[in-house]
Amino acid sequence: MRYFFGMVISCLMLFIGACSNSREEQGSIVVLSPETAEIIAALGAADEISGLTRECTYPPELADKTIVGDFGAIDKELVLGLSPKLVFASGLEQEALAMDIEKLGIKVHKSYPKTIADLLQEIVVIGGLIGKEKQAIALRDSLAGAIQEIKLANTGKTRPKVYLEIYRDPLMSVGDDSFVGELIELAGGDNVFDRLERDYSRVKAEQVILANPDIMICYSRDSRASISARKGWDRIPAIAQQRIFTEEDLDPDLIQRAGPRIIAGISKMADIFEQWRTFGK
Amino acid sequence: MKRHLFLILMLMVGLGLMALYLFWQNPGPYIIWQVRVPRLILTLVSGMSLAAIGSVYQLMLGNPLAEPYILGVSSGSAFGSILFASLGMIILMPLGGFIGAIITMLLVWRLAQKRGSFDPQRLIIAGVIVGMFFSSAISLMMYLNRQDTVLILGTLMGNLGRIFSYTEYRVFLALSSLVIGLLGWIYLKSRALDILSSSDLYAASVGIEVERLRRQLFFASSLIVGIVVSYAGIIGFVGLITPHIMRLMGYKNQKQIFPMGAIFGASFLLVADFFAKNLSGIELPVGVITAAIGCPFFIYLLLRK
């Protein structure tokens, strides 16, 4: 009996020892959100990332990191196996997951910027968490400066009406209050849905036809030919004049991910709107 | 006399609803013709088909809980639509739905046969099992293709706001005509179906070819359900409650229940879709509204009678 207790106690001590060892080895970070991965890489801390989700595809230097699952389906064992000191998660379906990871004693930072102001603030917060405060402030200031420049450049210009389609069946678009809606307005466009019940929401076909958009940005995986053949849509200026821009023309990650690349996204949209001002009206 | 009045009242209400549906907020003739008329046709065809097929299945299967989706064809059709969409062929979704419906229909029919003879219980079991199989396949696709979740939910909860291309619309009109033709043919079989529901032996003794009639009814109704699900997704409740409401209204035989149910089903779905479109800022899934309006209405009728 004494041997038995001795063995149990030894096993327990070994187990506790192993656990505390693994805690001591902690140091890396695991990033579950593609936009946070881009921010961390832009702050020059890509080396500290040990695990990522499959959607974290940018920048290319992240390609050799361990994949811990998809955005909405993460393998918690893989995350734990990397013994991270900090996990960066997003909102939406990752909220519940973040709580699960927190229960295991790992620090989790949730980041889901809904506006440009949120993004600029979040960059500094993330910088503080990974010890890159100075770089974060510099990045924030450079982004804020670039945004201010774009804003000034578009002041007083005619604004094309822009319709952005996320989904075809059912039809979904973005409101002005959404992150993408804010970017469209900043780039000098006028998003056709000023107010929607949600940031990304179902809309009616007749609302789009009545709004008469000048430019259509289509992320619903529909082709130009198919969009042009939609019943009743052929009178819309964007479609009649073939100003339909798809994923190939404007990378959705540039405007849908709240990260440093939004400047490229806004500039690209501003170019599209400028083309309309020059040739399209 | 009372029933005739009810018919006239229902037709008038139906016409009023159609006018409201088309002219609400006066969007102008272009929108009415290009967007609202196609949606109106889809709503009417779906509503009348679901209600009419519901009454046929309840009689044919001898089960008051039978509804157009019980034989699995809807799940097969929804699976076909969703599969095509997730492969990037969103505009071919109705075709996928149609193929899915045909495959499921043949599979269920084959499973329902027992050494050449037919057993309604076996048909229900085969339908439910095949339906469950395709439902789990849909769930798996929803889990694997997160980006298609909205589309899958749209199909599973009903979506009458389909965007047609000009060609697609012509195909839809042709298929709608086929649906109406098939419904007309099923209507002509109402009396035989009533007799069939009493017993196979009795039906055979009065000269009905029982096996043949059942097969024809099964294939015609499955085809209708397949077409409806391909375009409108799965809209629950209409097919289940309408025949019961007609019975509560005092209609006894299939020859009355079938056409009256079709008119009621079409009007009911029109109301439900009107609310789905206009109740809140976001368009709601019509399947949610049919249950939300249908349940209290059904309970009210049940308590009154």
Side-chain angles (χ1 to χ4, degrees):
Chain A
M1 198 64 187
R2 225 181 298 156
Y3 280 121
F4 176 73
F5 277 118
M7 269 175 73
V8 168
I9 289 165
S10 320
C11 285
L12 267 175
M13 284 175 72
L14 265 172
F15 181 71
I16 293 165
C19 288
S20 59
N21 269 344
S22 68
R23 287 279 183 269
E24 274 163 25
E25 281 163 19
Q26 286 177 1
S28 63
I29 50 181
V30 169
V31 186
L32 309 178
S33 145
E35 40 198 42
T36 311
E38 290 196 21
I39 294 171
I40 293 174
L43 295 176
D47 290 345
E48 290 180 36
I49 300 175
S50 58
L52 292 164
T53 47
R54 199 159 279 118
E55 287 80 3
C56 301
T57 48
Y58 189 89
E61 57 189 292
L62 301 179
D64 57 346
K65 309 285 181 190
T66 306
I67 301 290
V68 296
D70 293 338
F71 185 87
I74 289 147
D75 187 335
K76 275 172 257 174
E77 288 187 9
L78 274 178
V79 175
L80 280 179
L82 293 169
S83 309
K85 64 173 177 190
L86 183 58
V87 172
F88 284 97
S90 178
L92 308 169
E93 55 258 64
Q94 288 196 347
E95 297 234 9
L97 188 100
M99 277 167 67
D100 283 351
I101 296 176
E102 266 173 337
K103 280 182 202 160
L104 296 168
I106 296 171
K107 193 177 169 193
V108 178
H109 177 73
K110 280 168 276 181
S111 159
Y112 184 44
K114 287 187 169 178
T115 61
I116 294 174
D118 280 355
L119 167 66
L120 296 178
Q121 208 178 344
E122 197 55 39
I123 287 173
V124 179
V125 175
I126 293 172
L129 287 168
I130 58 171
K132 299 275 181 190
E133 292 87 354
K134 275 185 194 163
Q135 292 89 328
I137 289 166
L139 179 64
R140 179 198 65 188
D141 292 346
S142 87
L143 289 179
I147 288 164
Q148 197 54 34
E149 256 177 52
I150 296 169
K151 213 182 238 173
L152 281 175
N154 288 311
T155 311
K157 285 186 177 172
T158 329
R159 303 168 85 80
K161 283 185 278 181
V162 183
Y163 163 60
L164 189 140
E165 185 171 292
I166 320 174
Y167 240 92
R168 182 197 148 121
D169 269 315
L171 211 56
M172 283 183 83
S173 185
V174 299
D176 273 2
D177 294 338
S178 69
F179 187 78
V180 180
E182 191 183 359
L183 259 52
I184 292 173
E185 298 283 327
L186 193 64
D190 176 20
N191 180 33
V192 291
F193 292 108
D194 303 341
R195 250 201 70 70
L196 288 177
E197 293 282 314
R198 288 190 213 138
D199 291 354
Y200 303 92
S201 170
R202 268 180 89 157
V203 293
K204 294 172 206 156
E206 55 188 66
Q207 288 176 307
V208 180
I209 297 172
L210 286 172
N212 239 7
D214 300 301
I215 286 166
M216 175 175 179
I217 299 172
C218 177
Y219 290 157
S220 60
R221 292 182 290 161
D222 209 356
S223 68
R224 277 193 186 82
S226 153
I227 294 166
S228 309
R230 288 182 190 176
K231 191 169 165 53
W233 287 55
D234 36 358
R235 275 199 199 172
I236 299 174
I239 290 161
Q241 291 153 30
Q242 286 294 299
R243 272 191 303 274
I244 305 167
F245 299 89
T246 62
E247 289 95 334
E248 286 159 21
D249 309 304
L250 179 62
D251 182 354
D253 292 347
L254 295 183
I255 59 170
Q256 288 180 341
R257 287 185 185 179
R261 285 195 294 162
I262 57 161
I263 301 301
I266 302 171
S267 306
K268 214 152 191 179
M269 279 199 288
D271 289 346
I272 291 171
F273 302 162
E274 196 55 46
Q275 267 177 31
W276 170 83
R277 284 184 202 105
T278 320
F279 308 107
K281 277 193 281 182
Chain B
M1 188 62 194
K2 203 177 153 193
R3 277 182 214 139
H4 281 110
L5 272 176
F6 181 65
L7 172 66
I8 294 166
L9 185 76
M10 249 180 35
L11 281 172
M12 281 173 66
V13 169
L15 286 173
L17 285 173
M18 274 158 66
L20 182 71
Y21 192 86
L22 289 177
F23 299 106
W24 176 253
Q25 290 177 332
N26 194 23
Y30 186 73
I31 295 286
I32 291 175
W33 279 111
Q34 299 292 336
V35 183
R36 292 202 182 175
V37 168
R39 185 167 180 152
L40 175 79
I41 298 173
L42 176 58
T43 308
L44 294 179
V45 169
S46 306
M48 68 167 73
S49 303
L50 294 174
I53 301 302
S55 70
V56 172
Y57 279 4
Q58 285 176 9
L59 265 188
M60 193 169 91
L61 302 170
N63 189 331
L65 285 176
E67 42 108 25
Y69 304 133
I70 201 164
L71 295 184
V73 177
S74 53
S75 302
S77 177
F79 175 76
S81 299
I82 292 164
L83 182 69
F84 269 48
S86 63
L87 294 173
M89 297 182 281
I90 291 177
I91 48 167
L92 293 179
M93 274 176 77
L95 178 69
F98 197 64
I99 295 171
I102 302 267
I103 292 171
T104 317
M105 186 170 83
L106 296 173
L107 186 65
V108 171
W109 184 254
R110 185 75 198 83
L111 289 172
Q113 305 295 313
K114 191 182 177 189
R115 286 183 222 102
S117 72
F118 174 88
D119 175 6
Q121 300 304 324
R122 211 177 148 92
L123 184 63
I124 294 188
I125 293 168
V128 169
I129 296 295
V130 172
M132 280 169 85
F133 174 78
F134 283 118
S135 296
S136 63
I138 292 170
S139 304
L140 182 69
M141 279 166 68
M142 190 145 91
Y143 185 74
L144 295 177
N145 299 316
R146 260 186 335 102
Q147 54 175 356
D148 289 323
T149 307
V150 180
L151 179 142
I152 296 172
L153 282 178
T155 307
L156 294 181
M157 296 164 96
N159 172 27
L160 292 163
R162 160 164 291 280
I163 300 169
F164 290 103
S165 73
Y166 286 98
T167 321
E168 215 183 344
Y169 185 55
R170 279 192 284 273
V171 175
F172 164 69
L173 286 181
L175 287 175
S176 297
S177 313
L178 174 69
V179 166
I180 290 167
L182 286 171
L183 284 173
W185 179 83
I186 296 177
Y187 171 65
L188 295 176
K189 300 287 173 192
S190 297
R191 208 173 144 63
L193 192 58
D194 263 336
I195 298 170
L196 188 70
S197 68
S198 54
S199 90
D200 282 13
L201 204 63
Y202 174 58
S205 73
V206 295
I208 295 169
E209 286 181 70
V210 175
E211 286 300 309
R212 189 157 164 253
L213 178 65
R214 252 204 199 105
R215 191 174 58 240
Q216 288 174 338
L217 283 174
F218 172 77
F219 284 114
S221 54
S222 300
L223 210 56
I224 294 171
V225 174
I227 292 170
V228 169
V229 174
S230 301
Y231 284 102
I234 297 177
I235 303 167
F237 221 67
V238 184
L240 176 69
I241 61 157
T242 308
H244 290 292
I245 290 175
M246 292 302 108
R247 281 181 212 117
L248 286 170
M249 289 287 181
Y251 295 103
K252 293 277 178 278
N253 56 50
Q254 180 66 0
K255 202 153 191 160
Q256 295 168 331
I257 293 173
F258 188 89
M260 291 306 288
I263 297 171
F264 182 88
S267 311
F268 176 65
L269 195 57
L270 211 57
V271 175
D273 191 45
F274 181 77
F275 282 126
K277 265 171 70 178
N278 301 306
L279 202 61
S280 79
I282 310 173
E283 188 174 325
L284 302 167
V286 69
V288 175
I289 305 288
T290 52
I293 305 177
C295 285
F297 183 60
F298 188 67
I299 292 168
Y300 164 75
L301 279 179
L302 208 60
L303 292 176
R304 262 197 60 196
K305 291 277 164 176

mmCIF file of all heavy atoms in Angstrom, chain B residues 127 130 166 171 176 220 229 233 300:
data_model
loop_
_atom_site.group_PDB
_atom_site.id
_atom_site.type_symbol
_atom_site.label_atom_id
_atom_site.label_comp_id
_atom_site.label_asym_id
_atom_site.label_seq_id
_atom_site.Cartn_x
_atom_site.Cartn_y
_atom_site.Cartn_z
ATOM 1 N N GLY B 127 -38.112 7.472 -47.204
ATOM 2 C CA GLY B 127 -38.026 8.921 -47.426
ATOM 3 C C GLY B 127 -37.335 9.628 -46.287
ATOM 4 O O GLY B 127 -36.454 10.467 -46.492
ATOM 5 N N VAL B 130 -33.502 8.651 -46.243
ATOM 6 C CA VAL B 130 -32.749 9.302 -47.325
ATOM 7 C C VAL B 130 -32.674 10.813 -47.050
ATOM 8 O O VAL B 130 -31.628 11.439 -47.222
ATOM 9 C CB VAL B 130 -33.392 9.009 -48.704
ATOM 10 C CG1 VAL B 130 -32.743 9.828 -49.798
ATOM 11 C CG2 VAL B 130 -33.273 7.527 -49.027
ATOM 12 N N TYR B 166 -32.247 36.560 -67.486
ATOM 13 C CA TYR B 166 -33.344 36.514 -68.458
ATOM 14 C C TYR B 166 -33.609 35.070 -68.915
ATOM 15 O O TYR B 166 -34.750 34.630 -68.995
ATOM 16 C CB TYR B 166 -33.033 37.420 -69.658
ATOM 17 C CG TYR B 166 -33.172 38.885 -69.299
ATOM 18 C CD1 TYR B 166 -32.062 39.653 -68.966
ATOM 19 C CD2 TYR B 166 -34.419 39.488 -69.261
ATOM 20 C CE1 TYR B 166 -32.193 40.985 -68.615
ATOM 21 C CE2 TYR B 166 -34.568 40.826 -68.903
ATOM 22 C CZ TYR B 166 -33.452 41.575 -68.585
ATOM 23 O OH TYR B 166 -33.591 42.888 -68.220
ATOM 24 N N VAL B 171 -36.681 29.651 -68.351
ATOM 25 C CA VAL B 171 -36.695 28.242 -67.910
ATOM 26 C C VAL B 171 -37.653 28.089 -66.734
ATOM 27 O O VAL B 171 -38.449 27.141 -66.668
ATOM 28 C CB VAL B 171 -35.265 27.789 -67.505
ATOM 29 C CG1 VAL B 171 -35.277 26.385 -66.930
ATOM 30 C CG2 VAL B 171 -34.324 27.865 -68.686
ATOM 31 N N SER B 176 -42.569 26.274 -64.282
ATOM 32 C CA SER B 176 -43.786 26.625 -63.536
ATOM 33 C C SER B 176 -45.018 26.116 -64.291
ATOM 34 O O SER B 176 -45.969 25.615 -63.674
ATOM 35 C CB SER B 176 -43.904 28.131 -63.356
ATOM 36 O OG SER B 176 -42.839 28.591 -62.595
ATOM 37 N N ALA B 220 -44.998 12.382 -59.950
ATOM 38 C CA ALA B 220 -45.485 13.737 -60.286
ATOM 39 C C ALA B 220 -45.270 14.689 -59.108
ATOM 40 O O ALA B 220 -44.746 15.798 -59.274
ATOM 41 C CB ALA B 220 -46.965 13.676 -60.658
ATOM 42 N N VAL B 229 -38.348 23.361 -54.537
ATOM 43 C CA VAL B 229 -37.184 23.504 -53.648
ATOM 44 C C VAL B 229 -35.990 24.077 -54.415
ATOM 45 O O VAL B 229 -35.220 24.888 -53.886
ATOM 46 C CB VAL B 229 -36.828 22.154 -52.975
ATOM 47 C CG1 VAL B 229 -35.540 22.262 -52.180
ATOM 48 C CG2 VAL B 229 -37.949 21.700 -52.067
ATOM 49 N N GLY B 233 -36.014 27.022 -52.124
ATOM 50 C CA GLY B 233 -35.473 26.434 -50.898
ATOM 51 C C GLY B 233 -36.588 25.694 -50.152
ATOM 52 O O GLY B 233 -37.663 25.438 -50.709
ATOM 53 N N TYR B 300 -55.680 28.704 -33.312
ATOM 54 C CA TYR B 300 -56.961 29.422 -33.229
ATOM 55 C C TYR B 300 -58.080 28.594 -33.867
ATOM 56 O O TYR B 300 -59.152 28.391 -33.279
ATOM 57 C CB TYR B 300 -56.817 30.788 -33.922
ATOM 58 C CG TYR B 300 -58.118 31.473 -34.256
ATOM 59 C CD1 TYR B 300 -58.887 32.079 -33.264
ATOM 60 C CD2 TYR B 300 -58.587 31.512 -35.579
ATOM 61 C CE1 TYR B 300 -60.078 32.706 -33.570
ATOM 62 C CE2 TYR B 300 -59.776 32.131 -35.896
ATOM 63 C CZ TYR B 300 -60.533 32.720 -34.896
ATOM 64 O OH TYR B 300 -61.717 33.337 -35.198
#
